[in-house]
Amino acid sequence: MQAEFLLSREQNRTLGVSRCTNQNYRLHFHTHIEICLVTEGEEEVWINDRRQVLKAGDFSVAWSYDAHGYRTERASKSLSLVIPPELFREFQPLLAGYRTRENFFTDAVLFEKLRASVESILQTDSELLRKGYIYVILGILLENVAIEDTQEQTHPTLVSRVLLYLNQSYRENITLQSVAAEFGYHPSYLSRLFKNTLRIGFNHYLTVLRLRETLLLMRAGEKNVTEAALESGFQSLRSFYRCFQVEFGCTPREYLLYNPS
């Protein structure tokens, strides 16, 4: 199953900074930049199609729209920093049209620099100082990561708006063409932007939203398969079964039997 667009985080446009113990979180993505610095123990981190066990002194960076998740098998402590786009707007010209392949870091000097700035953020209530430390953190990262020119300009604000719209409207009979018209763009441009930014096609993502909702309704026990599928936005039971088989490789009954929660 594809990573989940974390609607609650996307709607929260404030800086997130915290000390985490035994962090566990499902695979998700958003427009924010998310940094995890492991201070004790070990923490398993997934970012896009890569998995790495981070030890104390290691850190990870999930850039905008990177799918990421966390798991602690035994024990871990970490510092988490989630930076909304509003706080790195001045860095957008440096990031637009580029994508880094670096997400995991083992560098004691970099770690201590970032840790000092995150600790300073935790210790101050001054919004001006917090923003200053964010600039320091992003400056350190951009000086020390390899960035690849993708030849494609990203448009994080537009993609964020489209994602929010899809999460509110997927139960309706919407299409790539209707969504493009809603936002005033050509369908081919929106399709290309979506694919380049999220690494998943527009129609595939819309299908994933509808499948996830169907499963939630079925697990609740109040809807049968037909009712759940149609209420989730599928136009027919046949199209639902076809999409479900492609995504999961089994029937809904078989899936729920082996994945009850």
Side-chain angles (χ1 to χ4, degrees):
M1 193 62 157
Q2 295 290 329
E4 176 184 357
F5 177 54
L6 197 57
L7 188 62
S8 59
R9 180 69 255 182
E10 190 66 22
Q11 292 174 325
N12 183 352
R13 312 306 284 184
T14 60
L15 177 68
V17 56
S18 58
R19 303 182 194 276
C20 304
T21 300
N22 300 333
Q23 184 172 214
N24 289 280
Y25 211 94
R26 63 189 182 277
L27 201 64
H28 64 285
F29 68 94
H30 41 61
T31 58
H32 306 50
I33 293 174
E34 187 164 329
I35 302 170
C36 172
L37 299 102
V38 178
T39 55
E40 294 182 28
E42 295 183 352
E43 193 167 311
E44 193 174 14
V45 181
W46 287 271
I47 299 182
N48 298 323
D49 57 351
R50 296 180 60 202
R51 165 193 169 277
Q52 190 156 320
V53 176
L54 303 187
K55 300 179 180 179
D58 297 339
F59 66 96
S60 65
V61 181
W63 304 91
S64 295
Y65 302 111
D66 278 345
H68 56 287
Y70 307 96
R71 178 176 175 271
T72 298
E73 184 172 341
R74 294 181 180 177
S76 72
K77 289 187 178 180
S78 56
L79 294 172
S80 173
L81 185 66
V82 185
I83 310 170
E86 287 77 6
L87 292 182
F88 58 84
R89 197 176 304 281
E90 288 81 356
F91 287 84
Q92 286 299 336
L94 296 174
L95 295 172
Y98 294 86
R99 176 172 294 160
T100 176
R101 293 187 180 275
E102 291 190 75
N103 298 106
F104 302 104
F105 302 85
T106 300
D107 186 314
V109 175
L110 275 184
F111 180 90
E112 289 304 325
K113 287 181 179 179
L114 295 176
R115 179 176 182 171
S117 292
V118 174
E119 291 284 3
S120 296
I121 291 173
L122 284 165
Q123 293 166 14
T124 183
D125 293 325
S126 168
E127 290 304 315
L128 185 60
L129 284 176
R130 284 184 159 213
K131 188 170 185 178
Y133 288 123
I134 292 300
Y135 277 35
V136 170
I137 289 170
L138 293 175
I140 291 171
L141 288 175
L142 291 178
E143 279 191 342
N144 290 276
V145 298
I147 297 180
E148 175 190 21
D149 188 349
T150 65
Q151 302 302 319
E152 288 284 349
Q153 292 295 308
T154 58
H155 196 323
T157 302
L158 173 60
V159 177
S160 176
R161 288 168 56 212
V162 171
L163 287 170
L164 290 170
Y165 179 80
L166 291 180
N167 275 264
Q168 295 165 355
S169 309
Y170 65 84
R171 298 177 187 85
E172 303 169 16
N173 185 23
I174 58 174
T175 63
L176 172 63
Q177 289 71 23
S178 68
V179 174
E182 175 74 22
F183 288 91
Y185 289 90
H186 193 279
S188 62
Y189 171 78
L190 186 61
S191 176
R192 188 170 64 254
L193 179 67
F194 207 90
K195 180 70 174 178
N196 289 336
T197 304
L198 302 182
R199 306 178 184 89
I200 178 176
F202 178 93
N203 290 330
H204 187 188
Y205 182 77
L206 185 58
T207 296
V208 167
L209 288 179
R210 290 169 172 167
L211 287 172
R212 185 175 284 127
E213 177 68 8
T214 303
L215 286 171
L216 288 174
L217 291 173
M218 291 172 64
R219 281 196 175 110
E222 299 176 0
K223 306 284 183 181
N224 61 35
V225 176
T226 302
E227 292 171 334
L230 295 179
E231 190 171 315
S232 300
F234 288 99
Q235 297 304 297
S236 70
L237 195 58
R238 181 179 179 181
S239 66
F240 163 71
Y241 275 114
R242 183 176 64 252
C243 291
F244 198 97
Q245 182 69 36
V246 169
E247 189 69 23
F248 296 106
C250 62
T251 67
R253 184 183 297 276
E254 290 169 337
Y255 182 88
L256 290 174
L257 179 63
Y258 293 103
N259 300 273
S261 61

